[in-house]
Amino acid sequence: MIVTKQLKKSFGDHEVLKGIDQHIEQGEKVVVIGPSGSGKSTFLRCLNLLEEPTGGEIWFEGVNITDKHNDINRMRQKMGMVFQQFNLFPHLSVLENITLAPIKLKKTAKDAAADRAMELLKRIGLEEKASAFPNQLSGGQKQRIAIVRALAMDPDVMLFDEPTSALDPEMVGEVLELMRELANEGMTMVVVTHEMGFAREVANRVLFIDDGIVKEENSPDQFFGHPKDPRLQEFLSKVL
Amino acid sequence: MNTILDKLRGIYDSFYNAIVPEQRYTAYIEGLKITLIISLFAVLLGVAIGVVVAVIKVCGAHTRNVLMRILGKICDLYITVIRGTPLMVQLLIIYNLIFTSRDTNPILVGTVCFGINSGAYVAEIVRAGINAVDIGQMEAGRSLGFNWLQTMWYIVLPQAIKNILPALGNEFIVLVKETSVASVIAVNDLTKNAQYIGSRTWDLIPPLVIAAAIYLVIVVALSKLLGIFERRLAKGDRH
């Protein structure tokens, strides 16, 4: 579904990604871990071109999205993204946050978009928050609504950029629970996280990115049970 | 005692003369109308120009698109020239140079000139407001599939406008008062009419004080209006 070929990204002289080749299949859950500054978030943000790669190619559903002639805005409609800082729209109510993109981009009728939004809110148990504004919500509620906002566009893949890193510890569980549900429903997911438990439980494949390259990738059992790369061994010994 | 009463009597007479005889109050009303018309349309024009110029400048600063970069430079030039020259000189140049035909409508010239002038100041206010909105908002909008302009329009600008409303209100107030300069191109606005009445009664101060009071009322009303508007926009803020 997503293929990266020799993906490179530099900020000025600093080369953050040094050539990443990845195939992410439909329905796959790929968890990306690595030390801070390793380039894992940059890798994720390149997948929907929030960061413009300085080299290599990215193919999504058979289309080369790094080719300037392809309409990236159209492609992004099929790639949901969840941010560390939630990035809900503070001037809009929860319902408007969720329905804005479907109404404006997919020309969904207002009623239909609102019905779908309420359905999604009901699913996460926040239907009574529909008319609330983002700053009246807890961090966990904000992030779950941010996930639902992305889901309202019916994406084919969901990208998570450290979705629980800005949350109070007691809020982490509810967000991971929703992500776990999505995974079980077969959503294709790429998740950058520090939640090793989540990676072990949900991932089909775990990537260790360090110094701009994928140092190791494996099934969670092998990855956590028998890490081969010395840098990964060191990393795991510190975080587990 | 009598001298004080005489003084008060004198003041009363001069204000009476400035208002009542020859239906002079109608001159204030006519002048006020023109002041309000120029102010209203200049504000609308100024905000329209300001928002467009600010968006072009922000876009020009973030893109590699050559056309947008050139447009950004043109906007820079516009702001530099307008902010770097006196309003009255701009007014006289536009009136004498650009609108040279005999049937030039000075009210139209005034409106256009004040609008163009205000646009430069509004543009800088709006640009600061846009830059103060968290970059994550733009990223979230783009990640949903909105293009740059759509994200700007639906997501960034509404938040920017809310933040800059006090500064924008201040600009409106300045603009209303600055329209008094329009008298130099023979616009019969409030200030001009007050001067005219003063020249008829040989007593300049009372009509000017009356004009000042009218400006004050407009500005206070405008401040109140903006306050109400601000509170309504703040509904999404922390409680």
Side-chain angles (χ1 to χ4, degrees):
Chain A
M1 175 175 269
I2 303 179
V3 180
T4 69
K5 296 177 182 169
Q6 275 304 300
L7 177 63
K8 289 186 179 131
K9 173 70 183 177
S10 301
F11 293 103
D13 292 337
H14 181 49
E15 193 171 36
V16 179
L17 298 181
K18 299 174 179 171
I20 292 186
D21 294 283
Q22 277 296 318
H23 280 249
I24 295 159
E25 304 295 337
Q26 170 124 34
E28 208 179 8
K29 293 94 182 85
V30 177
V31 172
V32 184
I33 66 169
S36 58
S38 60
K40 56 189 190 309
S41 274
T42 306
F43 168 67
L44 189 78
R45 289 161 56 84
C46 277
L47 295 182
N48 67 353
L49 298 198
L50 277 189
E51 300 291 352
E52 220 174 303
T54 38
E57 290 177 0
I58 301 165
W59 292 69
F60 175 64
E61 297 183 336
V63 178
N64 179 2
I65 60 173
T66 32
D67 182 344
K68 291 261 183 293
H69 296 99
N70 289 318
D71 182 2
I72 182 59
N73 298 314
R74 256 201 122 62
M75 304 311 292
R76 283 195 185 118
Q77 292 185 21
K78 295 191 239 168
M79 308 169 100
M81 183 152 193
V82 176
F83 299 85
Q84 185 176 346
Q85 299 298 339
F86 328 126
N87 294 343
L88 290 179
F89 307 134
H91 63 301
L92 299 178
S93 71
V94 165
L95 192 73
E96 290 164 337
N97 262 277
I98 300 169
T99 57
L100 182 69
I103 291 172
K104 301 293 182 195
L105 294 173
K106 289 193 158 175
K107 307 294 172 206
T108 310
K110 270 192 179 155
D111 295 349
D115 287 349
R116 169 100 170 101
M118 288 311 293
E119 204 175 288
L120 287 163
L121 283 173
K122 209 166 274 174
R123 171 190 170 155
I124 58 172
L126 291 176
E127 67 263 42
E128 82 279 8
K129 297 287 186 191
S131 54
F133 282 86
N135 49 35
Q136 297 168 296
L137 306 170
S138 73
Q141 292 172 334
K142 280 184 202 171
Q143 193 61 300
R144 286 187 289 147
I145 285 164
I147 293 172
V148 160
R149 177 176 70 179
L151 289 178
M153 289 296 283
D154 293 315
D156 295 340
V157 59
M158 287 284 285
L159 311 174
F160 293 86
D161 188 5
E162 303 201 26
T164 57
S165 296
L167 293 174
D168 289 341
E170 56 178 335
M171 310 270 181
V172 171
E174 60 192 73
V175 172
L176 291 181
E177 181 53 38
L178 175 58
M179 290 169 64
R180 215 171 273 131
E181 276 176 38
L182 280 182
N184 290 337
E185 287 163 17
M187 176 64 77
T188 311
M189 293 164 67
V190 185
V191 185
V192 172
T193 187
H194 295 293
E195 295 292 331
M196 299 302 156
F198 179 82
R200 205 189 286 246
E201 191 188 335
V202 173
N204 305 116
R205 189 150 59 93
V206 187
L207 308 184
F208 178 64
I209 292 188
D210 183 39
D211 203 19
I213 54 168
V214 177
K215 286 259 174 77
E216 183 154 343
E217 59 180 302
N218 223 325
S219 66
D221 286 351
Q222 291 295 313
F223 187 92
F224 292 106
H226 307 284
K228 293 176 202 74
D229 181 77
R231 184 72 186 88
L232 174 58
Q233 289 168 355
E234 185 198 341
F235 180 76
L236 289 178
S237 73
K238 281 181 191 160
V239 296
L240 287 181
Chain B
M1 192 64 193
N2 268 340
T3 50
I4 295 175
L5 274 178
D6 284 347
K7 275 240 158 66
L8 283 176
R9 179 84 207 177
I11 292 170
Y12 173 80
D13 282 345
S14 48
F15 274 87
Y16 181 87
N17 277 333
I19 298 171
V20 181
E22 299 174 24
Q23 293 184 312
R24 286 186 181 132
Y25 55 89
T26 57
Y28 298 104
I29 293 168
E30 288 306 309
L32 176 61
K33 264 191 215 161
I34 287 169
T35 293
L36 287 178
I37 287 171
I38 293 179
S39 301
L40 177 67
F41 287 101
V43 161
L44 294 178
L45 186 62
V47 168
I49 293 175
V51 168
V52 170
V53 167
V55 168
I56 290 174
K57 273 193 75 173
V58 172
C59 183
H62 290 284
T63 184
R64 259 172 270 165
N65 184 320
V66 179
L67 178 69
M68 286 313 292
R69 290 190 149 235
I70 292 171
L71 280 175
K73 291 287 169 211
I74 293 172
C75 290
D76 277 341
L77 183 69
Y78 157 72
I79 291 172
T80 307
V81 170
I82 294 295
R83 294 205 305 177
T85 54
L87 172 62
M88 197 196 279
V89 178
Q90 292 165 15
L91 200 58
L92 288 170
I93 289 176
I94 291 184
Y95 183 62
N96 289 304
L97 188 79
I98 301 172
F99 297 87
T100 43
S101 70
R102 274 291 112 201
D103 53 345
T104 298
N105 179 346
I107 296 175
L108 180 68
V109 178
T111 305
V112 169
C113 186
F114 287 114
I116 291 173
N117 181 275
S118 183
Y121 294 91
V122 172
E124 286 299 271
I125 295 171
V126 173
R127 193 175 62 90
I130 290 173
N131 287 337
V133 174
D134 184 64
I135 183 80
Q137 294 291 312
M138 177 56 83
E139 289 184 347
R142 299 304 304 272
S143 80
L144 286 166
F146 287 106
N147 65 33
W148 190 90
L149 201 60
Q150 287 171 322
T151 312
M152 189 50 74
W153 186 252
Y154 292 123
I155 294 161
V156 178
L157 269 180
Q159 297 179 51
I161 299 287
K162 194 170 88 177
N163 292 339
I164 62 179
L165 210 60
L168 219 48
N170 196 44
E171 171 59 25
F172 294 165
I173 286 168
V174 169
L175 178 62
V176 170
K177 291 185 294 177
E178 273 186 340
T179 56
S180 61
V181 177
S183 51
V184 300
I185 56 168
V187 174
N188 292 320
D189 74 326
L190 183 55
T191 307
K192 183 79 179 178
N193 281 2
Q195 282 179 310
Y196 172 73
I197 291 167
S199 71
R200 297 269 297 176
T201 59
W202 295 93
D203 192 0
L204 254 174
I205 301 297
L208 288 177
V209 169
I210 290 165
I214 295 173
Y215 281 112
L216 189 62
V217 169
I218 300 173
V219 168
V220 169
L222 192 58
S223 307
K224 286 256 185 286
L225 213 62
L226 286 161
I228 293 169
F229 197 50
E230 242 171 83
R231 273 194 295 283
R232 279 188 51 183
L233 275 182
K235 64 179 177 177
D237 281 345
R238 237 164 261 281
H239 288 244

